[in-house]
Amino acid sequence: MTVSAVIFIVLGLFFFTGGSIGILRFPDFYSRLHPAGKLDSMGLLMTMAGMALYTLRDFSLPAIITALKIMLIVVLVFITSPTATHAILDAGVRAGLGPWTAPEKKVKE
Amino acid sequence: MRTLGLIAAFCLGGLLFFISFDFPSWGDALSPASRHVSPYYIEHSLEDTSVPNIVTAVLADYRGFDTLFETAVIFSAGLACFFLVRVSERQVPAARFYRHLATGITFRIEKGGRLPEGTGEFERIDSLWVPYDVIIGMTCRLVVPFIQLFALYVIAHGHHSPGGGFQGGVIFGAAIILFAISTNLRRTLKRMSERSSALLSSLGVLIYAGTGLLCLFMGAGFLNYRALAAILGVDQVAARSDGILIVESGVGIAVAAVMVWIYYNLSSAGKQDEGL
């Protein structure tokens, strides 16, 4: 149980790291929202699942209740996080921000 | 003048920095703070108040005066925001915007004209920000009741876990603000008017101070909840626990209402007609 919890948490941290790198490296507002919205949700699911498994080491009723509460956090974030990303993106479109396009390569003469 | 201010700031900062060397190091077991009051709280708070969470016991019982004035500070913040920002006279907006619900066509009515709103045919919309978004509206409608429930849980569960009046009140106020953001200010004002938010914020402070005064009338010190044992019909230790709950709910009401009140005034620049 502990081993699988560690595996889950490490996987989740991998997703979080990918999300942070994506936010830093992507070129514009809309593409930065992509790692911010998606990888954070996935990383949260992984880390929270790991923590839920870790609390279930000693299998008892309070541990099950705690694990269920932890999974409730995931449910809440899975409802709200895509909505927040959608709202931010919508605000960007309404404010008139255009999407990024690749700059044309200058041909050296 | 600027150099003078800079010199004064540097002198004061250097003095503070210099003095900070005389402080006991962090977590020092021999420092005065952890030798006199802290051990008493840690050893006796459970038998004194039957509250497992020492922070709540210290905050609302041993240091009840502090928290009373903190609540008063929050109330006065809401009041100050009201007096500074609120525009009292009614200004006619340059244009009002309406959406015809059946077709989705937007109307622009100038010179203070109005379209009938109550009939369910037209809906007034904001001029700057016109969200017509099913996703955000539905999600917020789904989430807001759970956030409010969680806020009540945080207030009521402050005895046993981290939480209490301030935190729960902030969560409750944030739920109402989330509703205001996802729909609009006028619909929120219809649900919870400015008057009721002002009255509720003063009611919260009144509950706190009134509990203290009640203790005074029952013949004990101000905010000494032991005196409430006769009214509540429990022993003195349980009365302290119940007193903390009463006071915390007062704090929660005050904080939630003040947050909503400040939001109303700041988001609409005091006009409370169109807002975020």
Side-chain angles (χ1 to χ4, degrees):
Chain A
M1 206 68 116
T2 316
V3 175
S4 54
V6 168
I7 290 172
F8 266 113
I9 290 176
V10 167
L11 261 177
L13 289 179
F14 173 73
F15 277 109
F16 275 132
T17 318
S20 322
I21 293 172
I23 292 171
L24 290 173
R25 294 280 297 168
F26 269 117
D28 79 328
F29 178 71
Y30 298 118
S31 52
R32 278 179 185 178
L33 275 176
H34 178 74
K38 280 193 169 164
L39 291 174
D40 276 11
S41 310
M42 195 63 195
L44 192 94
L45 172 67
M46 288 292 178
T47 44
M48 289 294 151
M51 284 182 200
L53 282 177
Y54 188 73
T55 48
L56 283 177
R57 274 169 314 153
D58 46 342
F59 203 76
S60 61
L61 189 64
I64 295 172
I65 290 173
T66 312
L68 277 178
K69 278 180 192 166
I70 291 173
M71 293 322 282
L72 262 180
I73 298 175
V74 178
V75 171
L76 183 80
V77 172
F78 266 50
I79 294 171
T80 52
S81 168
T83 316
T85 314
H86 171 80
I88 296 168
L89 196 139
D90 207 38
V93 174
R94 279 175 205 280
L97 185 69
W100 179 81
T101 49
E104 289 176 18
K105 279 178 185 167
K106 282 176 187 170
V107 182
K108 278 187 181 177
E109 292 171 5
Chain B
M1 199 62 207
R2 269 183 79 182
T3 45
L4 206 67
L6 212 61
I7 289 167
F10 264 110
C11 284
L12 201 62
L15 201 64
L16 287 175
F17 191 70
F18 180 68
I19 286 171
S20 71
F21 286 115
D22 285 345
F23 279 152
S25 57
W26 193 76
D28 187 3
L30 296 175
S31 68
S34 49
R35 253 190 306 182
H36 296 296
V37 269
S38 298
Y40 179 80
Y41 292 152
I42 292 167
E43 284 162 15
H44 295 95
S45 73
L46 191 61
E47 60 194 65
D48 275 358
T49 62
S50 80
V51 174
N53 188 356
I54 301 172
V55 176
T56 306
V58 172
L59 180 115
D61 191 299
Y62 296 113
R63 300 291 174 96
F65 273 65
D66 246 358
T67 315
L68 171 62
F69 288 113
E70 270 171 47
T71 318
V73 162
I74 287 172
F75 174 62
S76 52
L79 212 59
C81 201
F82 171 75
F83 281 125
L84 282 175
V85 182
R86 185 82 169 101
V87 183
S88 55
E89 76 263 31
R90 231 170 229 289
Q91 291 172 333
V92 178
R96 287 192 178 91
F97 290 82
Y98 291 89
R99 180 188 292 130
H100 189 225
L101 288 175
T103 57
I105 298 171
T106 305
F107 292 88
R108 183 174 192 274
I109 312 288
E110 285 196 351
K111 291 168 190 161
R114 285 170 183 276
L115 285 178
E117 273 179 75
T119 54
E121 285 194 30
F122 296 100
E123 180 195 28
R124 173 114 190 263
I125 53 179
D126 289 353
S127 56
L128 273 178
W129 170 253
V130 195
Y132 188 63
D133 209 321
V134 183
I135 298 173
I136 295 172
M138 276 310 289
T139 310
C140 291
R141 187 183 285 185
L142 195 72
V143 163
V144 161
F146 289 105
I147 298 178
Q148 288 178 339
L149 198 66
F150 180 65
L152 295 180
Y153 168 80
V154 168
I155 293 177
H157 216 252
H159 286 50
H160 298 278
S161 62
F166 288 98
Q167 293 88 338
V170 164
I171 296 171
F172 202 91
I176 297 173
I177 291 174
L178 181 68
F179 180 79
I181 289 174
S182 69
T183 57
N184 58 40
L185 194 64
R186 289 176 300 278
R187 198 177 288 181
T188 319
L189 278 168
K190 243 177 242 165
R191 299 275 197 292
M192 182 177 176
S193 67
E194 189 199 13
R195 179 176 298 177
S196 65
S197 70
L199 281 178
L200 279 176
S201 55
S202 47
L203 177 76
V205 183
L206 191 72
I207 287 175
Y208 201 141
T211 313
L213 277 180
L214 198 62
C215 299
L216 209 60
F217 284 134
M218 297 297 290
F222 189 68
L223 287 174
N224 186 352
Y225 309 130
R226 272 202 211 102
L228 298 176
I231 300 175
L232 296 169
V234 287
D235 61 341
Q236 293 196 335
V237 175
R240 281 178 86 160
S241 172
D242 292 350
I244 290 174
L245 183 64
I246 295 168
V247 159
E248 292 269 26
S249 47
V251 172
I253 293 170
V255 170
V258 164
M259 272 190 58
V260 174
W261 197 15
I262 289 179
Y263 174 79
Y264 284 164
N265 281 324
L266 284 186
S267 68
S268 62
K271 295 195 194 81
Q272 303 208 347
D273 181 42
E274 287 187 352
L276 208 60

